[in-house]
Amino acid sequence: MTALSESLTTAALLGTARSAPEFDALHTADAAGELTGDPAATLLAAAALETTFLTAATVPVVRELPSPAPDDDRPVLPDAAAERLRALLAVRSPLLDEWFEVAARFRASHDIVVDLLTVATTDAVHRDRLVALTGARGRWVAARNPEWAHLLPPDPLDDTPWHAGPPARRRRWFEALRAHDPAAATATLAASWGAQTAAQRAELVALLAVGLGPHDEDLLERALDDRSRKVRAVALDLLPRLPHSAFARRMAERVRQWLLVDGSIVTLAVPDRPDESALRDGLTADPARDLLVAAVAAAPLSMWREHAGDTVLPEYDVDDTVRTTLTEGWGRAAVRQRDGDWAAALLRRDGTVDAAVAQVVPRDILLAHLRDVSPSAVLDDALLAALPAPWPRDVAEKVLTALYTKLTTTRVVRDVLTLLAHRAPFELADLLADAANRTDDLGRLHLFASAADTLTLRKTIHEELS
């Protein structure tokens, strides 16, 4: 910089007619010496050369070459599948999850690793799967670029992000620790409870849903007394999922006090106003029916065995209001406690259940039910949404026939066709296309044709990754 000031700057100030610039002291003397032409233009070119050097150049240093990336023995992703991925990512296709599942045994070719990592920096939904696709080479590259370091899964044994990282990194590290050692994650959160903001406490407590167990009970009970309503709400969502907890025992005792059972006769004794303990456990001063539903939904389902005999569901001589109340509470409890037997029993008894309960019914029970019901009843979108892919051909054809022949709402047609497109066997695509050609309703024609196209695309995806 000194040479630039004394040589070039002086000539610029006095003018090249009065002072000829000297280039010998410049770092770029050799290049500047080759400049010819108008003296003023030469001066500016020499200044540009020297400034560029001083701005960008560094002193040479000796660095050790990094160890090469580990080998990845997975087969390389076929070119057609790689192009398909680019297209699906460009439109944020709902088929991306299926694509990644089918492609799990492949790795990306080295020439697209950087492209995939670049996408992963802005696509939090598919970030981990994109990084997994890049494999060992992708992790090696990301570790050497500070802007990509956050793509790497955090080390649960290194708590530096927890103590010094920004909120997003702290959350991700906590998720990693939770997956690695759920009890250790709970202990870590409990130790720093007072240092978290209310929003952070609520967010982190919600992460306890993964790996939830008895080791979480004390912290969740502590959260019930938190000054933040959001923190209390999260705790009240998680505690009923622990059927052997003190919370569950408190709820069971309240149900026994409020629902007096004598054989098949039931008498309600729900208080007009919950006491302080009940309010703490989330039983607010709502109408008696809602109060009973909330208590039944939070009580362990095992408490009903003494009334059920050889069946799962107890049978009571009650009016429709109490029956509906118990059914709603039992359904919520089945969902929270992931009790497939109770969910299946409710389905067998009533012939249908709501969408949340349907998700808990075992797959074989769902299939048997859908095969047995009438064609008009098979268009139960809650049950169909709970039936995972792949759907057996006979069930898929029964649903398609009902869609085409039975009068139903456009919403049901749209929702069920979407399920068919994403879960039916591929050979049903021709039947869907044929149904589209046979309908005179332009709206339904579009829905059938779109479903056929989606099913065909899914088939192509599987073929490209075979």
Side-chain angles (χ1 to χ4, degrees), residues 88-398:
L88 296 176
L89 286 169
V91 297
R92 295 292 189 267
S93 170
L95 294 178
L96 276 167
D97 286 341
E98 183 174 3
W99 188 96
F100 280 115
E101 290 175 6
V102 182
R105 68 187 184 91
F106 292 98
R107 68 168 175 84
S109 59
H110 297 329
D111 60 310
I112 65 172
V113 163
V114 170
D115 291 342
L116 294 180
L117 291 176
T118 302
V119 173
T121 60
T122 58
D123 189 346
V125 174
H126 302 104
R127 176 191 60 202
D128 292 342
R129 283 176 156 178
L130 285 165
V131 174
L133 181 62
T134 65
R137 176 64 65 94
R139 293 189 295 274
W140 185 91
V141 171
R144 283 153 182 80
N145 183 346
E147 294 184 2
W148 291 346
H150 70 283
L151 298 178
L152 300 174
D155 180 0
L157 301 181
D158 179 5
D159 61 0
T160 302
W162 177 253
H163 295 293
R169 289 189 62 195
R170 296 176 74 247
R171 174 193 168 98
R172 195 167 182 221
W173 178 85
F174 187 81
E175 288 179 303
L177 179 61
R178 184 68 178 178
H180 174 73
D181 188 341
T186 303
T188 298
L189 178 54
S192 64
W193 187 257
Q196 311 294 333
T197 66
Q200 290 169 342
R201 290 196 300 274
E203 181 181 50
L204 294 170
V205 171
L207 297 180
L208 301 184
V210 176
L212 186 68
H215 47 269
D216 300 310
E217 183 178 354
D218 289 345
L219 183 59
L220 292 176
E221 286 282 351
R222 181 180 179 182
L224 281 184
D225 297 316
D226 197 89
R227 62 181 180 274
S228 168
R229 179 180 56 82
K230 291 183 178 180
V231 175
R232 297 195 302 272
V234 175
L236 288 169
D237 177 57
L238 296 181
L239 275 169
R241 307 185 197 184
L242 299 174
H244 304 294
S245 64
F247 178 88
R249 291 192 293 272
R250 295 195 299 269
M251 286 298 184
E253 183 58 30
R254 291 186 183 104
V255 172
R256 292 188 182 99
Q257 294 174 2
W258 298 351
L259 198 71
L260 306 179
V261 180
D262 183 9
S264 63
I265 305 300
V266 174
T267 303
L268 297 185
V270 182
D272 293 331
R273 183 177 182 81
D275 59 23
E276 289 300 319
S277 174
L279 290 172
R280 176 181 181 268
D281 285 343
L283 300 177
T284 56
D286 290 328
R289 179 194 177 279
D290 294 343
L291 198 60
L292 183 57
V293 169
V296 171
L301 289 167
S302 59
M303 70 168 290
W304 303 98
R305 289 174 186 161
E306 58 190 272
H307 305 291
D310 296 332
T311 62
V312 175
L313 293 177
E315 291 294 336
Y316 298 130
D317 184 11
V318 294
D319 60 30
D320 290 343
T321 300
V322 176
R323 178 186 174 90
T324 302
T325 298
L326 289 173
T327 298
E328 184 177 344
W330 287 337
R332 291 188 194 176
V335 173
R336 286 168 164 174
Q337 298 169 40
R338 310 305 297 173
D339 195 313
D341 290 339
W342 270 81
L346 290 168
L347 175 61
R348 291 192 187 99
R349 191 193 71 180
D350 300 334
T352 187
V353 290
D354 65 31
V357 178
Q359 293 291 337
V360 187
V361 177
R363 186 175 190 271
D364 59 333
I365 303 296
L366 273 177
L367 281 174
H369 175 83
L370 292 169
R371 284 176 169 135
D372 290 343
V373 297
S374 65
S376 58
V378 79
L379 297 180
D380 187 327
D381 49 346
L383 297 182
L384 292 174
L387 183 64
W391 286 3
R393 176 162 183 150
D394 63 317
V395 173
E397 288 184 345
K398 183 177 182 179

Side-chain angles (χ1 to χ4, degrees), residues 16-29:
T16 53
R18 298 179 58 188
S19 175
E22 297 180 1
F23 300 148
D24 293 344
L26 300 180
H27 297 87
T28 54

Side-chain angles (χ1 to χ4, degrees), residues 384-434:
L384 292 174
L387 183 64
W391 286 3
R393 176 162 183 150
D394 63 317
V395 173
E397 288 184 345
K398 183 177 182 179
V399 171
L400 177 56
T401 301
L403 279 175
Y404 186 73
T405 60
K406 304 298 177 182
L407 185 62
T408 186
T409 65
T410 300
R411 182 196 65 79
V412 171
V413 173
R414 182 186 65 247
D415 292 350
V416 174
L417 275 175
T418 299
L419 292 171
L420 272 173
H422 288 267
R423 304 184 187 184
F426 302 140
E427 56 267 25
L428 214 67
D430 290 340
L431 291 178
L432 280 167
D434 184 62

